[in-house]
Amino acid sequence: MTRRFATLVALLLATPAPAETLRDAIAAAYAGNPQLAAARARQEALAETPEQARALGRPTLSTGANTGYDRLGHGTSGAATIDAALPIWTGGRVRSAVRAADRDVAAGAEGLRDVEAAVLQGVVLAYADLLYNQQAVEVARVGIERLDRQVAEARSRFGLGQATRTDVAQLEAQRATVVANLADAEGALAAAEAAYRTVVGRDAGALSPEIPPPPALPEDRAQARRAAETANPLLLQQRRLVEASAARIDQARADGAPALDLTGGYGRGVRIGSGDGRAAIRWRDRWGWRCASRC
């Protein structure tokens, strides 16, 4: 049983790992690319701004307290207040602020799409470059093995008098050239592996040369232009930013319009006096609501 288990483990370890496909590389980049993660975090923070803008039209509550001491004999005093305000009419400030925030979120979403497209392009380029260099190294190694056999055969023929020293020297020169090409290819492969690691976020093993065909491309330039006008993230982002700027202009105009708030408050004060030798405590309460307009 132990021998069978050891044989099974050896077979599993000897089985080559499946080659990594372009789809796997894209999925890994979308899950771990730091540039894409930063863009997503910025978009999540930006998504909170519409709620912050809506808070400008919601009730607010504030509290306050103070205390004092009079050395002339009037004793100490203190007061605590609670004030509430409810915006009734803001002159369009809140509506414009919410619209501007919504357009900022939409522009941020298009910016995130542009970052995703850039990451996708980087993955495809890094994958293609790495695949090319892997195959270039393999071709160079196969060429060296083939030339090694040819050099050995030429030397054997030279020893038998069937070849000249020039024939052997030519094959050795060809082998030296291929060896130099292999060194260059290995250097380019190391650079391609580093670029792949930067974009995808992990080291790559053997890559699969099977690349899925791209989707249908536009038939002509006019169709490509129409597709760009309706779906290009940079163009759509600029349009959303223009809409956000227009909303901020409306917000700035609304800041000059009057507003109506419903405000109310409750307060309680106390004074402890001892001017006649006896301590006296006096309480004072106040509360009420009022409508206030501001310009």
Side-chain angles (χ1 to χ4, degrees), residues 130-220:
L130 181 57
L131 180 61
Y132 171 80
N133 285 282
Q134 285 181 348
Q135 295 180 350
V137 169
E138 185 64 24
V139 168
R141 289 174 178 171
V142 171
I144 291 175
E145 293 177 359
R146 180 176 59 83
L147 287 171
D148 285 340
R149 291 193 298 268
Q150 292 180 359
V151 169
E153 292 175 358
R155 288 174 179 173
S156 299
R157 290 197 305 270
F158 176 76
L160 297 174
Q162 298 177 357
T164 63
R165 187 177 299 275
T166 302
D167 297 332
V168 178
Q170 288 178 349
L171 290 174
E172 290 177 346
Q174 292 179 8
R175 183 186 182 281
T177 302
V178 177
V179 170
N181 293 337
L182 176 60
D184 294 338
E186 288 176 344
L189 178 60
E193 289 175 346
Y196 185 91
R197 190 184 309 112
T198 301
V199 178
V200 179
R202 67 184 186 188
D203 294 329
L207 302 183
S208 173
E210 300 295 331
I211 306 297
L217 297 176
E219 297 179 357
D220 51 19

Side-chain angles (χ1 to χ4, degrees), residues 229-244:
E229 290 176 351
T230 57
N232 184 273
L234 290 179
L235 180 60
L236 296 179
Q237 182 184 26
Q238 295 303 316
R239 289 176 178 174
R240 301 299 176 265
L241 291 177
V242 170
E243 294 172 356

Side-chain angles (χ1 to χ4, degrees), residues 28-276:
Y30 269 68
N33 184 271
Q35 182 181 2
L36 186 56
R40 288 170 179 165
R42 288 193 298 268
Q43 182 62 17
E44 290 176 359
L46 194 61
E48 300 297 328
T49 55
E51 196 64 25
Q52 296 173 2
R54 293 186 182 93
L56 299 176
R58 292 172 181 169
T60 58
L61 183 67
S62 61
T63 60
N66 60 76
T67 183
Y69 175 74
D70 187 358
R71 294 187 302 172
L72 298 179
H74 296 288
T76 60
S77 63
T81 59
I82 299 177
D83 297 308
L86 175 64
I88 302 299
W89 184 66
T90 62
R93 295 179 179 87
V94 176
R95 182 175 63 254
S96 300
V98 172
R99 190 169 74 253
D102 288 337
R103 298 303 182 272
D104 287 338
V105 173
E110 298 300 334
L112 179 58
R113 283 185 57 216
D114 182 64
V115 173
E116 290 176 348
V119 171
L120 176 60
Q121 181 182 5
V123 171
V124 173
L125 293 176
Y127 189 94
D129 191 28
L130 181 57
L131 180 61
Y132 171 80
N133 285 282
Q134 285 181 348
Q135 295 180 350
V137 169
E138 185 64 24
V139 168
R141 289 174 178 171
V142 171
I144 291 175
E145 293 177 359
R146 180 176 59 83
L147 287 171
D148 285 340
R149 291 193 298 268
Q150 292 180 359
V151 169
E153 292 175 358
R155 288 174 179 173
S156 299
R157 290 197 305 270
F158 176 76
L160 297 174
Q162 298 177 357
T164 63
R165 187 177 299 275
T166 302
D167 297 332
V168 178
Q170 288 178 349
L171 290 174
E172 290 177 346
Q174 292 179 8
R175 183 186 182 281
T177 302
V178 177
V179 170
N181 293 337
L182 176 60
D184 294 338
E186 288 176 344
L189 178 60
E193 289 175 346
Y196 185 91
R197 190 184 309 112
T198 301
V199 178
V200 179
R202 67 184 186 188
D203 294 329
L207 302 183
S208 173
E210 300 295 331
I211 306 297
L217 297 176
E219 297 179 357
D220 51 19
R221 185 174 61 180
Q223 186 177 358
R225 184 182 182 88
R226 289 192 299 269
E229 290 176 351
T230 57
N232 184 273
L234 290 179
L235 180 60
L236 296 179
Q237 182 184 26
Q238 295 303 316
R239 289 176 178 174
R240 301 299 176 265
L241 291 177
V242 170
E243 294 172 356
S245 299
R248 288 190 173 87
I249 292 175
D250 295 339
Q251 182 182 3
R253 291 173 178 170
D255 288 338
L260 184 63
D261 297 338
L262 181 62
T263 62
Y266 174 79
R268 188 167 190 178
V270 60
R271 171 172 291 179
I272 303 176
S274 57
D276 54 356

